[in-house]
Amino acid sequence: MGVKSKIVIGNWKMNGSAELVESFTRTMLDNQAAYAGIRVVLCPPFTLLQAMADALEGGPILLGAQNVSEFEQGAHTGEISAPMLASMGTKMVIIGHSERRASRGENDRIIAAKVKQALSVGMVPVLCVGETAEEKARGDSGAVVWQQLSVVLHAIGSELFGQLIVAYEPIWAIGSGSTASTDDILTITTAIHAKLAQLGIQLPLLYGGSVNAGNAAQISSLPTISGLLVGGASLQAGQFLLLCSNTAKGA
Ligand code: PEP
């Protein structure tokens, strides 16, 4: 059910500096053997994309972004378009992160439009879905996640949807120090794979939410999981390197 090589995506959120890009990428690139066989992607803030692109050039780590405009160009002050990101060598883009859904007003229509923009320039959208603690307590996790996926699926169709990476990120697990249990991850992701399979779609499903170097191997080796989306633990090079290496060992 998983997809061949595991993926680890680091989401720096609104953190980092030119100095961090320099020291972080040096550590990662000097120790490539530790994570050979998995795909690593780093998503710094927009202002550090060019420095990160330069530092990663020629190496195995891919460049990702944390957001993209739903518009292609024009009078959208402060927005960054998909063609702009692609021109910097950005290969993936996180879309629909719960922090943007909750505090930037991103609804399913906007998220679907962003996915279309990313695909139109050949970037892989990493579509984030996940339930709140209340929805989980009501037993609604599966339904909530499927609803978030279906809106995008209906907007773009199954052929394009199959080009996405989906990250299952329970909102209550993000930045909380508590991951979802492996049983819960398996239940939700098995159900997603099964529903998508009925539509002829197979895609990589990642897990995100308080992943660290200690739990990465166990979670990433679940049969339904193709990798990890990592926030806090992607900011410290030594920890992220160990997380990637533990994922590679379990792959
Ligand atoms: C995230 O923000 O996508 C995330 C998974 O964060 P953290 O790893 O810090 O929980």
Side-chain angles (χ1 to χ4, degrees), residues 33-78:
Y35 52 91
I38 67 166
R39 278 189 289 166
V40 177
V41 186
L42 288 172
C43 305
F46 287 139
T47 53
L48 296 175
L49 276 172
Q50 189 61 59
M52 185 73 93
D54 293 344
L56 296 179
E57 199 179 349
I61 301 178
L62 299 177
L63 184 67
Q66 299 173 20
N67 183 31
V68 64
S69 175
E70 69 264 42
F71 305 108
E72 189 184 342
Q73 61 170 36
H76 304 290
T77 304

Side-chain angles (χ1 to χ4, degrees), residues 38 56 59 67 73 83 97 123 125 158-159 166 192 195 212 214 244:
I38 67 166
L56 296 179
N67 183 31
Q73 61 170 36
H97 192 283
M123 284 191 300
S158 53
E159 201 178 316
V166 168
I192 297 172
K195 286 195 158 136
N212 57 41
C244 291

